[in-house]
Amino acid sequence: MPKITTQLNLRSNRNKFIAQGFFLTAALAVADTSTVLPLIIDYFNGSEVLIGILSSLLKGGAIIMQLWTAFQAQDKSNVLGSLRKVFVYRFLSWFLIGFSILLFYSLNDSIVLIFVSIFLFLFSFSAGVGVIYFQELIAKAFTKKYRGKAIAYKQIASGLAGIISGGISGFILELFSAPVSFAYLFFFSSFVMLFGILFFWNFKEIEKKDTNQKEKNFGLFLKGAGAAFISDKSLQFQTLTRFLSYSLFFVFPFFILHAKNQIGIEGKEIGLIISLQMIGAVGGNLLWAFLASKNLNRCVIVISFFLSIIAVLLVFRAETIEIYYVIYFLAGASIDGFRLAYSNLILIIAPENKRPMYVAVQNNLSSFGLFFAIPGGIFLKLTNFNTVSIITIFLLITGLWFSFFLKKQ
């Protein structure tokens, strides 16, 4: 027990946690899914539906593996070794996206889109394994108030990384012509991601004492997970509101194409949009850090819903690029607010011996919302952008209403 006390809330662990977030966000922001990815798909003659599918795939592909990983992880005292393997796998998958673009762009558009889809799936698929181990590692390393501030600091650092990355994206897109520029974006971001892996590699892990004996088979685990969800009202409301928090993605991946069609945008403006989304995340996290330190996670969620609704409403008045700058600023703040609050809340309400199960249940059920971009793309093809925006606002208001029923922590 003394060993655990001395290793709890280590500054070195917090710094590694923040550094990993900084470099991972920097990598993903360079080839951002809400700006760069839709432009890549559009360049290779992909449809709006495909944009929705691949945008959802990157965010939601992790669903598949989380419950299985939670089943495997519940009797593990240490998880860092498994997490390291996941990091390496994700690096290789991301790198191969850029390699596929460079190798096949001159041959056939469909081949490029197939390989991009495959490696995006593998990248996201492996995240389903990683998120369970990562959450378990952080839950053991930090107390709930320290963890809330650490997550906010990480997201501030991540926002700063995104700001820098937005400028790099704009520079690469301006310097090189498409589609070579797209490949270079993924090459560059892959090695940025690698820096984060190296920083986190020697995270000091606390051995978990209160573990669950693993069930005889996965079916019994699923039955237990279902029983836990049915019996825990807090878990139910958190899962429902988190699902609805993803409503923004019903229309968000199409903002950039709407801007392109309505006012016309260039590489440097895309880079600035990416940066402003991250500036919004940084600005929001200054507030989220304060609220998390006071254990006001529900307040973070309510404010984030308000910001998302305002961002979508502004699209109806978006006649200049400056309005889009504001939209992405607000979206960046709200997305990080949701991420922080729900990441912290699930670790607060989960019993220690059932923590992997609780994380997996919330993430699996709520993460179906990450696929909102698919019906969003279908509705956009069948109707128009304004209709999709109105549906998004309705869903967000519903989530806002349910968020008032979340348990105070």
Side-chain angles (χ1 to χ4, degrees):
M1 184 64 88
K3 182 179 179 182
I4 293 179
T5 303
T6 58
Q7 289 187 331
L8 195 63
N9 296 339
L10 287 178
R11 182 179 293 272
S12 61
N13 273 350
R14 188 188 71 179
N15 292 341
K16 291 170 185 175
F17 175 63
I18 293 171
Q20 188 271 338
F22 176 90
F23 286 108
L24 178 61
T25 302
L28 297 183
V30 167
D32 184 63
T33 57
S34 61
T35 51
V36 175
L37 182 60
L39 293 174
I40 292 174
I41 298 167
D42 185 61
Y43 179 89
F44 289 108
N45 298 310
S47 66
E48 292 92 342
V49 176
L50 184 60
I51 292 172
I53 291 173
L54 293 187
S55 295
S56 298
L57 183 63
L58 184 56
K59 294 181 176 68
I63 293 173
I64 299 169
M65 286 301 295
Q66 287 190 26
L67 278 171
W68 173 258
T69 306
F71 167 61
Q72 296 293 339
Q74 58 186 326
D75 64 346
K76 290 182 181 292
S77 299
N78 298 289
V79 297
L80 182 58
S82 299
L83 185 59
R84 287 171 178 163
K85 295 176 183 177
V86 173
F87 283 158
V88 173
Y89 191 86
R90 279 166 65 79
F91 160 75
L92 292 173
S93 301
W94 195 252
F95 178 86
L96 287 171
I97 294 172
F99 185 76
S100 298
I101 294 172
L102 193 62
L103 188 62
F104 298 115
Y105 78 87
S106 61
L107 298 179
N108 185 278
D109 289 351
S110 297
I111 292 177
V112 174
L113 292 175
I114 288 170
F115 276 97
V116 168
S117 300
I118 290 171
F119 290 120
L120 273 175
F121 174 77
L122 294 176
F123 180 81
S124 184
F125 184 85
S126 59
V129 179
V131 70
I132 299 299
Y133 293 140
F134 192 81
Q135 290 280 74
E136 181 69 13
L137 197 64
I138 300 309
K140 293 190 295 180
F142 307 130
T143 58
K144 64 180 181 180
K145 289 186 177 180
Y146 191 91
R147 182 173 59 243
K149 289 193 291 185
I151 293 173
Y153 293 155
K154 174 187 176 181
Q155 293 186 173
I156 290 171
S158 298
L160 293 172
I163 294 168
I164 298 169
S165 297
I168 294 171
S169 295
F171 174 76
I172 293 175
L173 289 171
E174 285 285 322
L175 186 62
F176 302 99
S177 60
V180 173
S181 58
F182 299 146
Y184 290 166
L185 286 176
F186 279 96
F187 288 151
F188 178 81
S189 61
S190 295
F191 287 101
V192 173
M193 188 184 299
L194 184 60
F195 277 111
I197 294 172
L198 295 176
F199 268 100
F200 200 80
W201 200 261
N202 291 318
F203 190 94
K204 291 182 173 61
E205 181 177 14
I206 296 174
E207 184 176 356
K208 183 178 179 180
K209 301 298 182 182
D210 187 9
T211 60
N212 250 10
Q213 183 176 356
K214 189 163 63 175
E215 291 84 356
K216 292 182 180 179
N217 58 65
F218 186 49
L220 290 175
F221 173 79
L222 290 177
K223 185 177 179 180
F229 180 76
I230 292 170
S231 64
D232 195 325
K233 296 295 183 184
S234 295
L235 180 59
Q236 291 173 22
F237 271 106
Q238 281 186 204
T239 302
L240 175 61
T241 57
R242 188 176 191 189
F243 168 77
L244 290 170
S245 75
Y246 292 130
S247 300
L248 180 62
F249 296 117
F250 198 85
V251 72
F252 194 51
F254 312 107
F255 279 178
I256 196 70
L257 297 182
H258 189 65
K260 177 185 174 184
N261 295 331
Q262 295 296 111
I263 60 176
I265 52 175
E266 299 177 354
K268 60 183 179 182
E269 291 167 333
I270 295 169
L272 185 55
I273 283 174
I274 294 172
S275 294
L276 282 167
Q277 183 177 336
M278 296 304 168
I279 290 172
V282 171
N285 275 299
L286 295 174
L287 175 60
W288 309 148
F290 172 77
L291 294 174
S293 69
K294 302 296 182 182
N295 238 14
L296 297 173
N297 295 286
R298 187 176 73 171
C299 186
V300 174
I301 292 171
V302 170
I303 295 172
S304 296
F305 269 114
F306 272 114
L307 295 179
S308 295
I309 292 167
I310 293 170
V312 180
L313 284 171
L314 283 174
V315 176
F316 293 100
R317 306 286 296 177
E319 298 173 353
T320 65
I321 189 64
E322 288 76 17
I323 300 297
Y324 283 98
Y325 293 158
V326 175
I327 290 169
Y328 277 88
F329 178 90
L330 295 176
S334 66
I335 290 169
D336 263 27
F338 289 132
R339 184 182 298 126
L340 180 149
Y342 286 114
S343 295
N344 206 20
L345 273 176
I346 190 61
L347 298 178
I348 292 172
I349 71 167
E352 181 180 359
N353 63 335
K354 293 183 178 180
R355 198 157 48 212
M357 176 188 288
Y358 267 59
V359 171
V361 167
Q362 177 180 275
N363 289 351
N364 271 257
L365 295 179
S366 66
S367 292
F368 283 104
L370 291 170
F371 294 97
F372 269 126
I374 297 175
I378 295 172
F379 271 89
L380 182 59
K381 196 171 184 65
L382 296 176
T383 59
N384 55 60
F385 186 82
N386 286 349
T387 300
V388 176
S389 298
I390 291 170
I391 294 172
T392 302
I393 292 169
F394 172 77
L395 291 169
L396 288 170
I397 290 174
T398 304
L400 173 63
W401 185 77
F402 277 114
S403 69
F404 288 105
F405 294 94
L406 288 170
K407 183 179 178 181
K408 291 184 178 180
Q409 297 293 339

